[in-house]
């Protein structure tokens, strides 16, 4: 297959796909966009991803977006890396359920801190959204903490869900979540951060 | 396997999983919650889904939530129904990408109409969110319209993504989207609505 390209940006959820690709041993090019200058809205990038977001993964067959879809695809494309329970539909669904919760609830809660303008135009409304982020993100952390028996999201085996949880759990403290209430998440962060593929992805991601 | 139970509520995204189960020919019980009386927050239901949301699917192995995870799981559990491209990882990822966009962007935009209290406490802020819904949902419709070559989301073959698109596209007009700009979506709605499994799910869903 031809070489893939991952479009990423520092501090975004694209890190989860980046980690998955490094865990998989994939050979790919990394393009880091500068969100500060609005590069994700440039005509060049909109031609790649009309949604103007990262991650976007350019593959042989076309461009793929949406983190949960990318994570499952990377796991399926590199089965020898054992990054998902590919032979057990229920366990795979559990992984997808977790990834879906991160994407649709946790990431969305986080986005109300800096991206409130997506959902309201009024400055006071955007400020009201920002003010509630510590509460909503703490509620998300509590949901995750209660189910994280470890060492990994799915129990005994590392999966792409762990790199995704790591990516968003790194946002918690900055979003006003008091991490002393979430020891399982803190231990999980340390466990994931220690992995060579994760260290490499973090160093490469520039953020 | 033991009989499954789908927890649903009228007017919610649970309809997408309901449609998928009917398309699959699954044998399951349907439990319809009354959101008006807050049944989704009852201790009985929180014991099933601590997130207090629908859909929740009780299976032999445990409870599954999050629509994209359920849709893929239903398709994988009933391969003879051919509700997803299970033998083509890239096509499967395309389906998951679409479902992920619906869950994380379209459904989230819609939720700012009636569920703004999830992301802000201030009444004026919640009203400001509601005011922007026609704009955000129209932008979502435009993204979908531009890619919907039809007859189905994935092209020639119906998949669980079609029941999901149908479910949220039914919200567009009520959310202030002017459907005359989106003829492909309107034609898709009609095409899905005509399917026997969809008619049955709509009639059973009570809404």
């Amino acid at each position: 297959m031809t070489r893939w390209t991952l479009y990423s940006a520092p501090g975004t959820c694209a890190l989860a796909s980046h980690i998955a690709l490094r865990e998989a041993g994939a050979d790919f090019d990394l393009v880091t966009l500068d969100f500060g200058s609005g590069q994700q809205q440039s005509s060049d990038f909109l031609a790649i991803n009309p949604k103007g977001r990262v991650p976007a993964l350019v593959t042989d067959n076309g461009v793929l977006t949406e983190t949960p879809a990318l994570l499952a695809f990377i796991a399926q494309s590199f089965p020898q890396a054992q990054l998902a329970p590919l032979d057990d539909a229920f366990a795979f669904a559990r992984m997808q359920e977790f990834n879906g919760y991160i994407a649709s609830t946790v990431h969305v809660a986080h986005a109300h801190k800096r991206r409130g303008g997506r959902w309201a135009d009024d400055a006071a409304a955007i400020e009201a959204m920002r003010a509630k982020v510590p509460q909503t993100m703490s509620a998300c952390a509590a949901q995750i903490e209660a189910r994280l028996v470890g060492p990994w999201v799915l129990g005994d085996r590392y999966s792409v869900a762990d790199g995704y949880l790591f990516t968003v759990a790194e946002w918690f403290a900055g979003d006003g979540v008091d991490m002393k209430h979430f020891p399982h998440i803190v231990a999980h962060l340390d466990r994931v951060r220690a992995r060579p593929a994760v260290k490499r992805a973090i160093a490469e991601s520039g953020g």
Side-chain angles (χ1 to χ4, degrees), chain A residues 150-164:
Chain A
W152 307 116
V153 168
L154 297 182
D156 288 339
R157 278 187 36 194
Y158 181 88
S159 74
V160 288
D162 292 293
Y164 199 12

Side-chain angles (χ1 to χ4, degrees), chain A residues 2-25:
Chain A
T2 58
R3 198 176 167 87
W4 292 355
T5 301
L6 177 69
Y7 286 83
S8 180
T12 69
C13 68
L15 179 62
S17 296
H18 190 167
I19 289 172
L21 287 165
R22 285 292 173 228
E23 292 280 1

Side-chain angles (χ1 to χ4, degrees), chain A residues 51-72:
Chain A
K51 294 180 279 194
R53 305 266 179 100
V54 294
L57 182 69
V58 182
T59 76
D60 320 46
N61 292 300
V63 181
L64 281 178
T65 62
E66 304 294 335
T67 297
L70 281 174
L71 294 180

Side-chain angles (χ1 to χ4, degrees), chain A residues 82-126:
Chain A
Q82 300 193 311
L83 294 173
L86 300 176
D87 299 326
D88 178 341
F90 186 81
F92 184 75
R94 269 268 176 272
M95 184 191 84
Q96 295 233 98
E97 173 185 53
F98 186 87
N99 291 344
Y101 176 68
I102 298 284
S104 301
T105 300
V106 187
H107 190 160
V108 168
H110 169 76
H112 283 75
K113 186 167 79 168
R114 295 182 190 275
R115 306 283 181 193
R118 287 181 186 163
W119 300 290
D121 294 321
D122 178 69
I126 291 169

Side-chain angles (χ1 to χ4, degrees), chain A residues 145 148 151-152 182-193:
Chain A
E145 178 77 9
L148 195 63
W152 307 116
F182 306 109
H184 292 136
I185 296 175
V186 171
H188 183 269
L189 276 167
D190 291 342
R191 214 173 279 131
V192 176
R193 198 182 288 111

Side-chain angles (χ1 to χ4, degrees), chain A residues 21-33:
Chain A
L21 287 165
R22 285 292 173 228
E23 292 280 1
D27 190 25
F28 67 101
D29 292 314
L30 179 70
V31 176
T32 303
L33 300 183

